[in-house]
Amino acid sequence: MGNRAVITTPERKIGLYLHWNGGRDTVEPLLRYCELKGYRAPSSDSYGWARLCQVVGNFFGGTLSVGIAPYSDDRRMNPGDNGIYVVDGWKIVDRILPYEGFVEEDEHDFDGMLRALDESMPEDERLGALLDSTEVATSELELGDEVWARGVDGKYSTYPVVAFDDDGTPLVAHYDHDGDWSWNPNNRIEEKSVLIVGRK
């Protein structure tokens, strides 16, 4: 026996089988972890499936805890236990429950699972201190806030907010040009929300 689940996308072309930790209390942190890593989602292309499998495989280890197969139909793919998760982007958008009266598992703390997933990754690929950050609306950023931003190598670093552009867009001290932070678009924080180092 296991604690099984299958993850698929709305197109239902591929199914990722989890033999263990198939509860929502593991699957949602798993999806969030992949989102924080900046991976492309399985609903966008095959690289998304590969990265999702990579994170799960690192976490479980061994050779029998994770499987991947062409998706046939909901009835045949349903493994029991936790049923089927349908994900779009890195969000669960539908759920095929395994049986009537199903009760959702709630044993694993969300932040604890994020850290457990991170610890199973190769050391140079871990998110580390980013997992201790605070998410805030970009409109609430203040001068001096340390914002986590991903570089061209895909890795996160922190950069302080040093100015606001004429349109109010926060600018971080990433690429300097004689004190002009507006010259490089990579200094602009245009997402609706960002992760920052906790304010003191």
PDB file of all heavy atoms in Angstrom, residues 154-166:
ATOM      1  N   GLY A 154      19.081  32.162 -13.358  1.00  0.00           N
ATOM      2  CA  GLY A 154      17.953  31.514 -12.715  1.00  0.00           C
ATOM      3  C   GLY A 154      18.029  31.479 -11.203  1.00  0.00           C
ATOM      4  O   GLY A 154      17.086  31.033 -10.545  1.00  0.00           O
ATOM      5  N   LYS A 155      19.116  31.980 -10.620  1.00  0.00           N
ATOM      6  CA  LYS A 155      19.271  31.940  -9.175  1.00  0.00           C
ATOM      7  C   LYS A 155      18.834  33.270  -8.558  1.00  0.00           C
ATOM      8  O   LYS A 155      18.971  34.327  -9.160  1.00  0.00           O
ATOM      9  CB  LYS A 155      20.718  31.615  -8.808  1.00  0.00           C
ATOM     10  CG  LYS A 155      21.118  30.218  -9.258  1.00  0.00           C
ATOM     11  CD  LYS A 155      22.515  29.858  -8.809  1.00  0.00           C
ATOM     12  CE  LYS A 155      22.853  28.439  -9.261  1.00  0.00           C
ATOM     13  NZ  LYS A 155      24.216  28.052  -8.879  1.00  0.00           N
ATOM     14  N   TYR A 156      18.325  33.159  -7.333  1.00  0.00           N
ATOM     15  CA  TYR A 156      17.841  34.336  -6.625  1.00  0.00           C
ATOM     16  C   TYR A 156      18.960  35.035  -5.860  1.00  0.00           C
ATOM     17  O   TYR A 156      19.851  34.400  -5.307  1.00  0.00           O
ATOM     18  CB  TYR A 156      16.773  33.945  -5.603  1.00  0.00           C
ATOM     19  CG  TYR A 156      15.408  33.693  -6.166  1.00  0.00           C
ATOM     20  CD1 TYR A 156      14.958  32.405  -6.406  1.00  0.00           C
ATOM     21  CD2 TYR A 156      14.540  34.746  -6.428  1.00  0.00           C
ATOM     22  CE1 TYR A 156      13.680  32.163  -6.896  1.00  0.00           C
ATOM     23  CE2 TYR A 156      13.262  34.520  -6.921  1.00  0.00           C
ATOM     24  CZ  TYR A 156      12.840  33.226  -7.145  1.00  0.00           C
ATOM     25  OH  TYR A 156      11.576  32.998  -7.633  1.00  0.00           O
ATOM     26  N   SER A 157      18.865  36.358  -5.812  1.00  0.00           N
ATOM     27  CA  SER A 157      19.679  37.192  -4.941  1.00  0.00           C
ATOM     28  C   SER A 157      18.779  38.316  -4.433  1.00  0.00           C
ATOM     29  O   SER A 157      17.694  38.542  -4.977  1.00  0.00           O
ATOM     30  CB  SER A 157      20.879  37.787  -5.690  1.00  0.00           C
ATOM     31  OG  SER A 157      21.747  36.773  -6.140  1.00  0.00           O
ATOM     32  N   THR A 158      19.248  39.015  -3.401  1.00  0.00           N
ATOM     33  CA  THR A 158      18.457  40.138  -2.893  1.00  0.00           C
ATOM     34  C   THR A 158      19.074  41.456  -3.331  1.00  0.00           C
ATOM     35  O   THR A 158      20.296  41.590  -3.404  1.00  0.00           O
ATOM     36  CB  THR A 158      18.364  40.112  -1.355  1.00  0.00           C
ATOM     37  OG1 THR A 158      19.681  40.150  -0.801  1.00  0.00           O
ATOM     38  CG2 THR A 158      17.620  38.886  -0.880  1.00  0.00           C
ATOM     39  N   TYR A 159      18.183  42.413  -3.621  1.00  0.00           N
ATOM     40  CA  TYR A 159      18.603  43.742  -4.046  1.00  0.00           C
ATOM     41  C   TYR A 159      17.734  44.771  -3.335  1.00  0.00           C
ATOM     42  O   TYR A 159      16.516  44.612  -3.266  1.00  0.00           O
ATOM     43  CB  TYR A 159      18.453  43.906  -5.565  1.00  0.00           C
ATOM     44  CG  TYR A 159      19.219  42.873  -6.353  1.00  0.00           C
ATOM     45  CD1 TYR A 159      18.592  41.709  -6.793  1.00  0.00           C
ATOM     46  CD2 TYR A 159      20.566  43.044  -6.626  1.00  0.00           C
ATOM     47  CE1 TYR A 159      19.299  40.745  -7.499  1.00  0.00           C
ATOM     48  CE2 TYR A 159      21.282  42.086  -7.333  1.00  0.00           C
ATOM     49  CZ  TYR A 159      20.640  40.943  -7.762  1.00  0.00           C
ATOM     50  OH  TYR A 159      21.340  39.982  -8.444  1.00  0.00           O
ATOM     51  N   PRO A 160      18.343  45.846  -2.814  1.00  0.00           N
ATOM     52  CA  PRO A 160      17.547  46.848  -2.104  1.00  0.00           C
ATOM     53  C   PRO A 160      16.779  47.756  -3.068  1.00  0.00           C
ATOM     54  O   PRO A 160      17.255  48.059  -4.168  1.00  0.00           O
ATOM     55  CB  PRO A 160      18.602  47.654  -1.339  1.00  0.00           C
ATOM     56  CG  PRO A 160      19.840  47.525  -2.174  1.00  0.00           C
ATOM     57  CD  PRO A 160      19.785  46.151  -2.777  1.00  0.00           C
ATOM     58  N   VAL A 161      15.590  48.167  -2.633  1.00  0.00           N
ATOM     59  CA  VAL A 161      14.844  49.187  -3.368  1.00  0.00           C
ATOM     60  C   VAL A 161      15.549  50.518  -3.126  1.00  0.00           C
ATOM     61  O   VAL A 161      15.726  50.939  -1.980  1.00  0.00           O
ATOM     62  CB  VAL A 161      13.377  49.263  -2.883  1.00  0.00           C
ATOM     63  CG1 VAL A 161      12.640  50.413  -3.589  1.00  0.00           C
ATOM     64  CG2 VAL A 161      12.664  47.942  -3.127  1.00  0.00           C
ATOM     65  N   VAL A 162      16.007  51.155  -4.214  1.00  0.00           N
ATOM     66  CA  VAL A 162      16.787  52.393  -4.078  1.00  0.00           C
ATOM     67  C   VAL A 162      16.072  53.617  -4.638  1.00  0.00           C
ATOM     68  O   VAL A 162      16.499  54.748  -4.396  1.00  0.00           O
ATOM     69  CB  VAL A 162      18.170  52.256  -4.762  1.00  0.00           C
ATOM     70  CG1 VAL A 162      19.061  51.315  -3.974  1.00  0.00           C
ATOM     71  CG2 VAL A 162      18.028  51.803  -6.211  1.00  0.00           C
ATOM     72  N   ALA A 163      14.999  53.397  -5.396  1.00  0.00           N
ATOM     73  CA  ALA A 163      14.296  54.537  -5.995  1.00  0.00           C
ATOM     74  C   ALA A 163      12.961  54.063  -6.543  1.00  0.00           C
ATOM     75  O   ALA A 163      12.677  52.860  -6.596  1.00  0.00           O
ATOM     76  CB  ALA A 163      15.143  55.151  -7.121  1.00  0.00           C
ATOM     77  N   PHE A 164      12.148  55.023  -6.954  1.00  0.00           N
ATOM     78  CA  PHE A 164      10.897  54.746  -7.652  1.00  0.00           C
ATOM     79  C   PHE A 164      10.916  55.533  -8.950  1.00  0.00           C
ATOM     80  O   PHE A 164      11.263  56.719  -8.957  1.00  0.00           O
ATOM     81  CB  PHE A 164       9.684  55.122  -6.793  1.00  0.00           C
ATOM     82  CG  PHE A 164       9.525  54.260  -5.580  1.00  0.00           C
ATOM     83  CD1 PHE A 164      10.166  54.590  -4.395  1.00  0.00           C
ATOM     84  CD2 PHE A 164       8.760  53.105  -5.630  1.00  0.00           C
ATOM     85  CE1 PHE A 164      10.032  53.787  -3.269  1.00  0.00           C
ATOM     86  CE2 PHE A 164       8.626  52.291  -4.515  1.00  0.00           C
ATOM     87  CZ  PHE A 164       9.268  52.632  -3.327  1.00  0.00           C
ATOM     88  N   ASP A 165      10.565  54.882 -10.041  1.00  0.00           N
ATOM     89  CA  ASP A 165      10.548  55.555 -11.339  1.00  0.00           C
ATOM     90  C   ASP A 165       9.415  56.582 -11.365  1.00  0.00           C
ATOM     91  O   ASP A 165       8.588  56.635 -10.461  1.00  0.00           O
ATOM     92  CB  ASP A 165      10.370  54.509 -12.455  1.00  0.00           C
ATOM     93  CG  ASP A 165      11.093  54.904 -13.729  1.00  0.00           C
ATOM     94  OD1 ASP A 165      11.489  56.082 -13.852  1.00  0.00           O
ATOM     95  OD2 ASP A 165      11.262  54.045 -14.604  1.00  0.00           O
ATOM     96  N   ASP A 166       9.382  57.385 -12.430  1.00  0.00           N
ATOM     97  CA  ASP A 166       8.372  58.432 -12.549  1.00  0.00           C
ATOM     98  C   ASP A 166       6.951  57.877 -12.472  1.00  0.00           C
ATOM     99  O   ASP A 166       6.038  58.567 -12.007  1.00  0.00           O
ATOM    100  CB  ASP A 166       8.542  59.202 -13.870  1.00  0.00           C
ATOM    101  CG  ASP A 166       9.841  60.004 -13.895  1.00  0.00           C
ATOM    102  OD1 ASP A 166      10.373  60.288 -12.796  1.00  0.00           O
ATOM    103  OD2 ASP A 166      10.323  60.324 -14.996  1.00  0.00           O
TER     104      ASP A 166
END
